[in-house]
């Protein structure tokens, strides 16, 4: 699960950098930042939810 989250974070970071580098693609940077933050929040929520469960 963490591998997928890290890959998504890297992808969103790359989209953000490309969007800021090419001024015409500012919308791409905004989408990249939103997705990056969303992925971080998703990962934190999943991590905390997993800690509440007991192992069987």
């Amino acid at each position: 699960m963490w591998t997928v989250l890290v890959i998504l974070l890297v992808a969103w970071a790359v989209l953000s950098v490309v969007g800021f580098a090419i001024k015409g693609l500012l919308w791409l940077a905004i989408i990249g930042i939103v997705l990056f933050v969303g992925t971080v929040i998703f990962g934190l929520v999943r991590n905390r939810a997993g800690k509440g469960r007991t192992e069987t």
Side-chain angles (χ1 to χ4, degrees):
M1 179 67 184
W2 281 107
T3 305
V4 173
L5 287 176
V6 169
I7 291 170
L8 286 174
L9 288 173
V10 170
W12 305 150
V14 169
L15 285 176
S16 297
V17 169
V18 169
F20 280 121
I22 303 169
K23 293 184 184 209
L25 296 177
L26 185 59
W27 59 271
L28 187 62
I30 294 169
I31 291 172
I33 290 171
V34 169
L35 292 174
F36 185 88
V37 171
T39 304
V40 168
I41 292 171
F42 177 77
L44 291 174
V45 168
R46 293 277 300 203
N47 189 28
R48 290 185 185 195
K51 288 185 178 182
R53 288 187 251 160
T54 58
E55 297 291 326
T56 57

